[in-house]
């Protein structure tokens, strides 16, 4: 399940319920003697805890679980030596990755984390039982959620990232030479430290001198931002958008605050789940954003093999004023020369992929329209 960011307090309060919802094993079952002696454990953000073999960290599933007989969670699939991700939000399927070595297990003030070396996807980061990022395909998500909005407007100068504590989106923003200021709201500093330790090529985004980390709730941060501050706001901080989700609640002012923080013609991009899961309220999200932002609204998608269904979507909105054609990258980025703080050129994004990402299958067009 996609739960990438912790940039808003409301999101972190959802982690416990999400963990109970999803029957995901956070501990790969191996004979005790096979557990690596170098397994690093941390509790409540203390990275100095004794190195030891780890007890199971379960996402609400254990021998004493009191679900009714026949409940899907009781029958959660397990294969020794494999990480498994299963959630009733997408019933009838589970996602497995073979584990070569567990590198880290721990818990911060807000959430549990695990890093393991997989045989097929490189290092993998798991947050509260939900797969967040793999070395193999992180480029697809990070590059698209960043360059779709930033390449759709001329000369963005001030960018706000809410969530995205891994640093990958910061890495991608750094490729834009016009940007002068990059602010990020991330409330879990332990998450940032874990990414810097185990995923340095992702967390390298923090090395950009234009970046300022605000250890603060994203909603509260936006309340204090002067109106019209940012050219672009990228939101990578919410759980899957299901019925009753906070973003769809009229009492939640998040989108209104984002709109206020944007300059006229400024743009927002938010992760908007998979078109293949009807339980996600993409249509309601599109409608709500059209009402609030009063500008252009469009939906794009990309391929991320490690995510459930293999695809993920993005909703792009512009604040009222000038029309923004998100499908036309008027501010193209050179895939070979625009490195920023990254050590490598773009792996996934280019102008052709940008334009193609808005081409939707017929059933999805009905939802987003």
């Amino acid at each position: 399940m996609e739960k990438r960011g912790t940039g808003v307090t409301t999101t972190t309060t959802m982690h416990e319920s999400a963990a109970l919802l999803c029957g995901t094993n956070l501990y790969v079952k191996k004979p005790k003697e096979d557990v690596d002696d170098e397994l690093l454990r941390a509790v409540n953000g203390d990275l100095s805890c004794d190195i030891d073999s780890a007890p199971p960290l379960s996402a609400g599933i254990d021998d004493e679980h009191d679900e009714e007989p026949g409940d899907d969670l009781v029958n959660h699939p397990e294969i020794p030596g494999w990480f498994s991700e299963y959630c009733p939000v997408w019933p009838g399927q589970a996602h497995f990755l073979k584990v070569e070595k567990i590198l880290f297990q721990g818990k911060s003030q807000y959430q549990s984390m695990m890093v393991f070396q997989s045989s097929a996807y490189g290092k993998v980061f798991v947050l509260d039982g939900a797969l967040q990022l793999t070395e193999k395909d992180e480029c697809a998500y990070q590059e698209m959620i960043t360059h779709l909005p930033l390449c759709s407007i001329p000369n963005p100068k001030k960018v706000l990232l809410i969530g995205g504590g891994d640093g990958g989106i910061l890495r991608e923003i750094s490729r834009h030479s016009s940007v002068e200021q990059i602010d990020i709201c991330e409330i879990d500093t332990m998450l940032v430290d874990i990414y810097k330790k185990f995923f340095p090529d992702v967390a390298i985004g923090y090395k950009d001198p234009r970046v300022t980390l605000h250890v603060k709730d994203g909603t509260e941060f936006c309340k204090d931002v002067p109106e019209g501050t940012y050219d672009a706001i990228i939101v990578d901080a919410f759980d899957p958008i299901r019925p009753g989700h906070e973003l769809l609640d009229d009492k939640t002012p998040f989108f209104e605050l984002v709109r206020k923080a944007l300059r006229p013609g400024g743009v927002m991009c938010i992760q908007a789940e998979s078109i293949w899961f009807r339980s996600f309220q993409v249509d309601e999200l599109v409608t709500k954003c059209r009402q609030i932002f009063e500008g252009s609204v469009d939906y794009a998608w990309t391929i991320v093999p490690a995510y459930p269904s293999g695809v993920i979507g993005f909703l792009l909105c512009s604040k009222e004023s000038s029309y923004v054609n998100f499908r036309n990258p008027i501010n193209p980025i050179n895939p070979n020369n625009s490195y920023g703080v990254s050590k490598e050129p773009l792996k996934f994004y280019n102008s052709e992929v940008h334009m193609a990402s808005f081409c939707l299958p017929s059933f999805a067009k009905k939802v987003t329209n």
Side-chain angles (χ1 to χ4, degrees), residues 67-253:
E67 293 287 340
E68 291 296 324
D71 189 281
D72 283 343
L73 297 181
V74 175
N75 299 319
H76 169 242
E78 297 177 358
I79 302 177
W82 291 66
F83 167 80
S84 56
E85 184 177 23
Y86 165 79
C87 185
V89 173
W90 43 82
Q93 58 185 302
H95 188 205
F96 289 81
L97 290 178
K98 187 176 181 180
V99 176
E100 299 294 335
K101 183 179 182 180
I102 301 175
L103 302 175
F104 174 84
Q105 281 190 129
K107 183 177 290 188
S108 73
Q109 176 183 352
Y110 302 100
Q111 54 212 337
S112 61
M113 308 174 201
M114 181 172 76
V115 179
F116 67 87
Q117 182 72 40
S118 72
S119 60
Y121 282 83
K123 288 199 288 287
V124 178
F125 185 87
V126 178
L127 184 69
D128 279 345
L131 188 151
Q132 301 297 295
L133 176 150
T134 79
E135 286 184 313
K136 181 177 182 177
D137 60 9
E138 59 88 13
C139 60
Y141 182 88
Q142 317 273 26
E143 293 181 17
M144 292 296 280
I145 197 173
T146 304
H147 303 307
L148 285 175
L150 295 187
C151 290
S152 296
I153 57 176
N155 300 314
K157 296 185 182 300
K158 295 183 179 181
V159 181
L160 171 63
L161 171 59
I162 299 176
D166 54 78
I169 295 175
L170 296 176
R171 179 194 66 201
E172 295 308 313
I173 298 173
S174 79
R175 298 182 191 272
H176 291 263
S177 59
S178 67
V179 174
E180 300 171 352
Q181 175 182 333
I182 307 171
D183 293 320
I184 174 174
C185 293
E186 172 58 61
I187 61 174
D188 196 338
T189 56
M190 179 177 166
L191 179 144
V192 174
D193 291 339
I194 295 303
Y195 271 111
K196 287 181 178 179
K197 178 177 177 63
F198 293 100
F199 299 87
D201 289 341
V202 177
I204 195 172
Y206 286 101
K207 293 186 177 182
D208 192 312
R210 295 169 291 179
V211 170
T212 301
L213 171 61
H214 303 270
V215 184
K216 188 174 183 178
D217 171 84
T219 302
E220 294 301 317
F221 181 84
C222 286
K223 288 180 181 178
D224 299 330
V225 169
E227 185 171 356
T229 295
Y230 293 103
D231 299 285
I233 298 177
I234 300 172
V235 183
D236 186 31
F238 286 95
D239 292 325
I241 302 163
R242 302 182 298 273
H245 193 281
E246 59 194 289
L247 288 179
L248 302 177
D249 188 346
D250 291 335
K251 298 179 181 179
T252 301

Side-chain angles (χ1 to χ4, degrees), residues 247-296:
L247 288 179
L248 302 177
D249 188 346
D250 291 335
K251 298 179 181 179
T252 301
F254 180 76
F255 283 135
E256 286 83 355
L257 292 171
V258 169
R259 178 185 181 278
K260 177 182 76 72
L262 287 171
R263 65 163 175 79
V267 297
M268 177 199 74
C269 184
I270 184 172
Q271 177 258 108
E273 303 307 331
S274 170
I275 57 177
W276 289 105
F277 296 128
R278 291 293 304 168
S279 58
F280 297 135
Q281 304 297 293
V282 174
D283 51 347
E284 289 188 37
L285 185 63
V286 169
T287 299
K288 187 177 182 72
C289 286
R290 282 186 174 138
Q291 294 171 347
I292 293 172
F293 289 91
E294 299 180 328
S296 309

Side-chain angles (χ1 to χ4, degrees), residues 140-153 176 234 267-269 299-302 312-316 324-330 349-351 353-358:
Y141 182 88
Q142 317 273 26
E143 293 181 17
M144 292 296 280
I145 197 173
T146 304
H147 303 307
L148 285 175
L150 295 187
C151 290
S152 296
I153 57 176
H176 291 263
I234 300 172
V267 297
M268 177 199 74
C269 184
Y299 183 91
W301 61 322
T302 194
I312 196 73
F314 309 102
L315 190 68
L316 296 106
V324 175
N325 182 2
F326 290 111
R327 303 184 180 209
N328 179 25
I330 63 170
Y349 176 90
N350 57 50
S351 294
V353 169
H354 180 124
M355 292 183 285
S357 68
F358 293 92

